[in-house]
PDB file of all heavy atoms in Angstrom:
ATOM      1  N   LEU A 888      77.671  76.400 192.164  1.00 37.00           N
ATOM      2  CA  LEU A 888      77.083  77.438 193.003  1.00 37.00           C
ATOM      3  C   LEU A 888      78.197  78.169 193.752  1.00 37.00           C
ATOM      4  O   LEU A 888      79.101  77.553 194.281  1.00 37.00           O
ATOM      5  CB  LEU A 888      76.110  76.818 194.015  1.00 37.00           C
ATOM      6  CG  LEU A 888      75.366  77.779 194.925  1.00 37.00           C
ATOM      7  CD1 LEU A 888      74.483  78.702 194.109  1.00 37.00           C
ATOM      8  CD2 LEU A 888      74.555  77.022 195.951  1.00 37.00           C
ATOM      9  N   HIS A 910     100.952 105.063 200.076  1.00 92.00           N
ATOM     10  CA  HIS A 910     101.854 105.940 200.801  1.00 92.00           C
ATOM     11  C   HIS A 910     102.755 105.150 201.753  1.00 92.00           C
ATOM     12  O   HIS A 910     103.952 105.445 201.869  1.00 92.00           O
ATOM     13  CB  HIS A 910     101.077 106.994 201.582  1.00 92.00           C
ATOM     14  CG  HIS A 910     100.227 107.866 200.721  1.00 92.00           C
ATOM     15  ND1 HIS A 910     100.761 108.784 199.844  1.00 92.00           N
ATOM     16  CD2 HIS A 910      98.893 107.960 200.576  1.00 92.00           C
ATOM     17  CE1 HIS A 910      99.796 109.418 199.206  1.00 92.00           C
ATOM     18  NE2 HIS A 910      98.633 108.930 199.627  1.00 92.00           N
ATOM     19  N   PHE A 930      89.330 107.117 190.664  1.00 92.00           N
ATOM     20  CA  PHE A 930      88.612 106.516 189.531  1.00 92.00           C
ATOM     21  C   PHE A 930      88.352 107.612 188.506  1.00 92.00           C
ATOM     22  O   PHE A 930      87.987 108.743 188.845  1.00 92.00           O
ATOM     23  CB  PHE A 930      87.264 105.920 189.960  1.00 92.00           C
ATOM     24  CG  PHE A 930      87.389 104.842 190.990  1.00 92.00           C
ATOM     25  CD1 PHE A 930      86.853 105.005 192.249  1.00 92.00           C
ATOM     26  CD2 PHE A 930      88.000 103.640 190.696  1.00 92.00           C
ATOM     27  CE1 PHE A 930      86.964 104.026 193.205  1.00 92.00           C
ATOM     28  CE2 PHE A 930      88.110 102.650 191.636  1.00 92.00           C
ATOM     29  CZ  PHE A 930      87.573 102.823 192.898  1.00 92.00           C
ATOM     30  N   ASP A 961      76.856 113.862 192.334  1.00 83.00           N
ATOM     31  CA  ASP A 961      75.664 113.092 191.982  1.00 83.00           C
ATOM     32  C   ASP A 961      76.015 111.796 191.264  1.00 83.00           C
ATOM     33  O   ASP A 961      75.186 110.891 191.177  1.00 83.00           O
ATOM     34  CB  ASP A 961      74.721 113.923 191.098  1.00 83.00           C
ATOM     35  CG  ASP A 961      74.184 115.136 191.837  1.00 83.00           C
ATOM     36  OD1 ASP A 961      74.035 115.052 193.063  1.00 83.00           O
ATOM     37  OD2 ASP A 961      73.926 116.157 191.178  1.00 83.00           O
ATOM     38  N   LYS A 963      78.555 108.668 191.163  1.00 84.00           N
ATOM     39  CA  LYS A 963      79.584 107.980 191.940  1.00 84.00           C
ATOM     40  C   LYS A 963      79.736 106.531 191.459  1.00 84.00           C
ATOM     41  O   LYS A 963      78.749 105.896 191.119  1.00 84.00           O
ATOM     42  CB  LYS A 963      79.222 107.987 193.434  1.00 84.00           C
ATOM     43  CG  LYS A 963      79.250 109.360 194.093  1.00 84.00           C
ATOM     44  CD  LYS A 963      78.999 109.268 195.592  1.00 84.00           C
ATOM     45  CE  LYS A 963      79.075 110.624 196.247  1.00 84.00           C
ATOM     46  NZ  LYS A 963      78.830 110.553 197.721  1.00 84.00           N
ATOM     47  N   SER A1037      97.889  87.151 201.208  1.00 86.00           N
ATOM     48  CA  SER A1037      97.810  85.733 200.861  1.00 86.00           C
ATOM     49  C   SER A1037      99.203  85.113 200.879  1.00 86.00           C
ATOM     50  O   SER A1037     100.152  85.707 200.339  1.00 86.00           O
ATOM     51  CB  SER A1037      97.204  85.557 199.464  1.00 86.00           C
ATOM     52  OG  SER A1037      95.890  86.120 199.434  1.00 86.00           O
ATOM     53  N   PRO A1089     110.125  93.329 200.163  1.00 91.00           N
ATOM     54  CA  PRO A1089     109.479  93.198 198.828  1.00 91.00           C
ATOM     55  C   PRO A1089     110.432  92.541 197.827  1.00 91.00           C
ATOM     56  O   PRO A1089     111.638  92.774 197.847  1.00 91.00           O
ATOM     57  CB  PRO A1089     109.165  94.634 198.446  1.00 91.00           C
ATOM     58  CG  PRO A1089     110.108  95.468 199.238  1.00 91.00           C
ATOM     59  CD  PRO A1089     110.338  94.752 200.537  1.00 91.00           C
ATOM     60  N   ARG A1119     104.742  91.186 195.874  1.00 92.00           N
ATOM     61  CA  ARG A1119     105.257  89.943 196.456  1.00 92.00           C
ATOM     62  C   ARG A1119     106.323  90.256 197.474  1.00 92.00           C
ATOM     63  O   ARG A1119     107.270  91.025 197.239  1.00 92.00           O
ATOM     64  CB  ARG A1119     105.799  89.062 195.315  1.00 92.00           C
ATOM     65  CG  ARG A1119     106.283  87.699 195.696  1.00 92.00           C
ATOM     66  CD  ARG A1119     106.565  86.867 194.439  1.00 92.00           C
ATOM     67  NE  ARG A1119     107.319  87.640 193.477  1.00 92.00           N
ATOM     68  CZ  ARG A1119     108.478  87.237 192.963  1.00 92.00           C
ATOM     69  NH1 ARG A1119     108.998  86.087 193.311  1.00 92.00           N
ATOM     70  NH2 ARG A1119     109.105  87.991 192.069  1.00 92.00           N
ATOM     71  N   VAL A1151     122.065  56.179 233.338  1.00 51.00           N
ATOM     72  CA  VAL A1151     120.872  56.183 232.470  1.00 51.00           C
ATOM     73  C   VAL A1151     119.951  57.332 232.833  1.00 51.00           C
ATOM     74  O   VAL A1151     119.433  58.043 231.961  1.00 51.00           O
ATOM     75  CB  VAL A1151     120.156  54.821 232.551  1.00 51.00           C
ATOM     76  CG1 VAL A1151     118.835  54.887 231.783  1.00 51.00           C
ATOM     77  CG2 VAL A1151     121.043  53.722 232.028  1.00 51.00           C
ATOM     78  N   MET A1193     115.511  62.668 221.475  1.00 82.00           N
ATOM     79  CA  MET A1193     115.001  61.575 222.308  1.00 82.00           C
ATOM     80  C   MET A1193     115.573  60.227 221.872  1.00 82.00           C
ATOM     81  O   MET A1193     115.951  59.376 222.680  1.00 82.00           O
ATOM     82  CB  MET A1193     113.473  61.550 222.237  1.00 82.00           C
ATOM     83  CG  MET A1193     112.804  62.665 223.019  1.00 82.00           C
ATOM     84  SD  MET A1193     113.267  62.669 224.768  1.00 82.00           S
ATOM     85  CE  MET A1193     112.714  61.044 225.286  1.00 82.00           C
ATOM     86  N   LYS A1241     106.235  75.630 195.129  1.00 92.00           N
ATOM     87  CA  LYS A1241     104.923  76.221 195.356  1.00 92.00           C
ATOM     88  C   LYS A1241     104.938  77.725 195.060  1.00 92.00           C
ATOM     89  O   LYS A1241     103.983  78.251 194.434  1.00 92.00           O
ATOM     90  CB  LYS A1241     104.517  75.988 196.808  1.00 92.00           C
ATOM     91  CG  LYS A1241     103.105  76.439 197.141  1.00 92.00           C
ATOM     92  CD  LYS A1241     102.065  75.469 196.568  1.00 92.00           C
ATOM     93  CE  LYS A1241     102.125  74.159 197.325  1.00 92.00           C
ATOM     94  NZ  LYS A1241     101.003  73.262 196.936  1.00 92.00           N
ATOM     95  N   LYS A1244     104.784  78.215 191.339  1.00 90.00           N
ATOM     96  CA  LYS A1244     103.452  77.925 190.793  1.00 90.00           C
ATOM     97  C   LYS A1244     102.495  79.076 191.026  1.00 90.00           C
ATOM     98  O   LYS A1244     101.715  79.449 190.150  1.00 90.00           O
ATOM     99  CB  LYS A1244     102.910  76.633 191.397  1.00 90.00           C
ATOM    100  CG  LYS A1244     103.550  75.352 190.886  1.00 90.00           C
ATOM    101  CD  LYS A1244     102.902  74.126 191.501  1.00 90.00           C
ATOM    102  CE  LYS A1244     103.505  72.847 190.971  1.00 90.00           C
ATOM    103  NZ  LYS A1244     102.871  71.650 191.589  1.00 90.00           N
ATOM    104  N   ILE A1249      99.509  83.851 189.007  1.00 87.00           N
ATOM    105  CA  ILE A1249      99.178  85.276 189.030  1.00 87.00           C
ATOM    106  C   ILE A1249      99.550  85.938 187.706  1.00 87.00           C
ATOM    107  O   ILE A1249      98.784  86.749 187.167  1.00 87.00           O
ATOM    108  CB  ILE A1249      99.871  85.954 190.217  1.00 87.00           C
ATOM    109  CG1 ILE A1249      99.236  85.517 191.532  1.00 87.00           C
ATOM    110  CG2 ILE A1249      99.805  87.482 190.089  1.00 87.00           C
ATOM    111  CD1 ILE A1249      99.881  86.100 192.765  1.00 87.00           C
TER     112      ILE A1249
END
Side-chain angles (χ1 to χ4, degrees):
L888 183 63
H910 300 292
F930 299 116
D961 296 331
K963 293 184 178 181
S1037 301
R1119 185 171 46 124
V1151 174
M1193 286 303 300
K1241 186 75 69 172
K1244 287 183 178 179
I1249 289 178

